[in-house]
Amino acid sequence: MTLSKAGEARNTMKLQLPEIAGMTDPVARFERHDDGVIFEIHDASSPDGRKIVHLLDEGVRNGSTRKTQRGATWWRLLTDSD
């Protein structure tokens, strides 16, 4: 993970995941814990990947899923009930 800045202000953190190189449509789930961040990566067509895609699609409908300007990256902050 690398930090990018615009002048002195942090504006982006970049994450490189070589594990996704062979995946057709990778999706990931990140969880923040006291000792760091845990993540899992799945292809969107796998059972676990479909769960992530479902939550993202649900968020598009209710407004909780955000997208980058060109839509290449989607994300949603989940609640304990998700």
Side-chain angles (χ1 to χ4, degrees):
M1 188 176 285
T2 58
L3 174 65
S4 296
K5 291 184 176 185
E8 292 300 313
R10 178 178 77 181
N11 67 355
T12 307
M13 293 199 76
K14 297 177 183 178
L15 179 64
Q16 296 181 359
L17 302 170
E19 300 91 339
I20 68 172
M23 293 184 179
T24 303
D25 190 10
V27 293
R29 181 177 184 138
F30 297 85
E31 293 183 22
R32 186 180 307 174
H33 296 271
D34 290 340
D35 56 346
V37 175
I38 296 173
F39 65 93
E40 56 186 66
I41 304 168
H42 305 279
D43 199 287
S45 63
S46 71
D48 288 327
R50 284 193 298 270
K51 290 178 190 176
I52 295 170
V53 171
H54 171 76
L55 289 169
L56 289 168
D57 288 341
E58 184 180 88
V60 168
R61 289 189 295 278
N62 70 26
S64 62
T65 292
R66 305 282 185 233
K67 297 180 184 181
T68 56
Q69 188 173 17
R70 293 192 176 119
T73 302
W74 299 22
W75 70 96
R76 178 180 175 192
L77 297 177
L78 301 177
T79 63
D80 289 337
S81 63
D82 294 323

